[in-house]
Amino acid sequence: MSDGRAGHGSRPCWWKQGTYVIEADDAAELARAMQLEQLITRQMGGLFPERGGDLSAVQTILDIACGPGGWALAVAYAYPHVTVVGIDNSRAVVEYAQAQAWSRGLGNVEFVLMDALHPLDFPDDAFDLVNARFLMGMMPVSAWLPLLRECRRVTRPGGSIRLTEAELCLTTSPAFEQLSAWLARAFWRKGYSFSPDGRTLGITAVLGQLLRSAGWRNVAYRPFVVDFSTGAPAHTGGYQHFMVFWRLVQEFVCAWAEVPTETFERCYQQAMAELLLDEFCGLWFHLLTWAENAPA
Ligand SMILES: C[S@@+](CC[C@H](N)C(=O)[O-])C[C@H]1O[C@@H](n2cnc3c(N)ncnc32)[C@H](O)[C@@H]1O
């Protein structure tokens, strides 16, 4: 990498300190993740649409790379009989999430500092359900299989896993499409993309295959979409999310897709203006995938 990093001087590159492409404990990232939680859960059709919201057979849940804890907190509140454990490898993020639990008076959720890219510090069969959402931004391609195997080890026989990942948006904004193309290229060059040519993220295409390869059975899918077109209920939420998201990934995209900062900046300003046009249309695609720890 050369020109894309021009201007960073001798400051250490934060993305070399971990594998996540965004600075996890940036206040804007914490706020973005908490806001996104509500948007995604609404569009997905609730916390557990794949089981009609029924968690009667579930007592213990592990949430991998839980971030500020939006999902784990919502589950703990909605299902008081369940114990939720969220793990994250950022101390500041874990402390933030734990403070949220205390301030909400939730005694059935706890947040633990742990690296999901190493063997998990839990015994075999410890959980009924493992959840992981939006892992792509921290996962080298080669890390998926070991993590999914490790998730199976800590899930009891008959338990399950659920993964939620997103693809690029489809929009009518030329500038938004350009930002997306750079993001896809950056992920591809960094070795996080399953796309054959770096034009998409490719993660949703491979989730089922990865789960089966890790020994999970009975893979099932539920696709869902966030419509953030002008006039749609999620327009404001989508606008707010991407206004912050593109800023947070700017340094990563400029470095790995080799985009000059000024070029990115112009495109960002243009995209945000195009999102506000009356005729703007945008869909953001997601896939919920789940599977069972069942005998072969
Ligand atoms: C990868 S995303 C996960 C988003 C979260 N699941 C959600 O739905 O909001 C960002 C989080 O992953 C955490 N993270 C990154 N690498 C990690 C790792 N190796 N182990 C555990 N957590 C990690 C970051 O600290 C950050 O809080």
Side-chain angles (χ1 to χ4, degrees):
M1 304 302 303
S2 52
D3 52 338
R5 294 189 182 184
H8 295 151
S10 59
R11 191 160 67 88
C13 294
W14 48 258
W15 58 82
K16 286 190 177 164
Q17 291 159 16
T19 59
Y20 188 36
V21 303
I22 292 175
E23 205 168 358
D25 60 357
D26 185 316
E29 165 65 355
L30 296 173
R32 179 191 75 88
M34 293 304 263
Q35 185 243 354
L36 188 59
E37 156 59 28
Q38 293 174 17
L39 189 68
I40 294 302
T41 298
R42 201 176 317 123
Q43 302 299 321
M44 188 191 276
L47 286 166
F48 298 98
E50 74 277 18
R51 45 174 83 219
D54 179 11
L55 277 203
S56 51
V58 173
Q59 306 277 324
T60 49
I61 300 180
L62 172 64
D63 188 22
I64 305 272
C66 59
W71 185 86
L73 292 162
V75 171
Y77 178 78
Y79 298 93
H81 74 282
V82 167
T83 299
V84 190
V85 179
I87 64 163
D88 199 284
N89 74 341
S90 161
R91 184 176 299 279
V93 170
V94 166
E95 285 172 359
Y96 177 94
Q98 193 59 57
Q100 290 287 320
W102 286 328
S103 69
R104 297 175 195 201
L106 292 169
N108 61 330
V109 57
E110 108 177 89
F111 296 95
V112 179
L113 186 66
M114 202 180 292
D115 190 338
L117 300 188
H118 287 102
L120 301 175
D121 192 12
F122 296 112
D124 293 359
D125 308 342
F127 297 96
D128 298 315
L129 173 65
V130 174
N131 179 72
R133 190 174 64 179
F134 302 143
L135 293 193
M136 182 172 183
M138 58 169 260
M139 293 291 281
V141 162
S142 60
W144 277 94
L145 214 44
L147 173 60
L148 294 179
R149 288 198 180 110
E150 197 50 11
C151 288
R152 198 161 77 89
R153 180 185 68 75
V154 301
T155 302
R156 68 161 168 81
S160 54
I161 188 169
R162 64 196 304 280
L163 306 173
T164 309
E165 292 295 331
E167 285 293 336
L168 296 176
C169 303
L170 273 185
T171 78
T172 55
S173 157
F176 195 102
E177 293 302 299
Q178 179 61 78
L179 292 173
S180 299
W182 287 334
L183 181 69
R185 194 196 306 165
F187 270 125
W188 188 63
R189 287 190 174 165
K190 189 155 170 70
Y192 285 16
S193 170
F194 287 90
S195 163
D197 54 14
R199 285 191 291 176
T200 68
L201 301 182
I203 179 63
T204 57
V206 299
L207 286 176
Q209 185 74 284
L210 284 170
L211 284 166
R212 283 187 291 271
S213 300
W216 294 92
R217 300 280 171 258
N218 304 327
V219 174
Y221 302 104
R222 183 182 171 107
F224 65 100
V225 72
V226 177
D227 179 357
F228 61 111
S229 307
T230 302
H235 180 247
T236 305
Y239 178 86
Q240 288 169 347
H241 171 262
F242 284 109
M243 186 171 64
V244 178
F245 173 79
W246 289 122
R247 276 270 172 257
L248 289 167
V249 295
Q250 176 172 352
E251 207 169 347
F252 165 68
V253 168
C254 288
W256 286 88
E258 299 191 47
V259 179
T261 306
E262 323 75 67
T263 308
F264 185 99
E265 179 63 31
R266 267 197 308 277
C267 196
Y268 170 80
Q269 296 297 344
Q270 185 66 27
M272 296 323 295
E274 288 169 357
L275 251 73
L276 294 176
L277 295 175
D278 285 349
E279 63 272 22
F280 171 76
C281 294
L283 292 182
W284 186 18
F285 297 95
H286 295 76
L287 186 66
L288 167 63
T289 308
W290 65 96
E292 289 171 16
N293 187 13

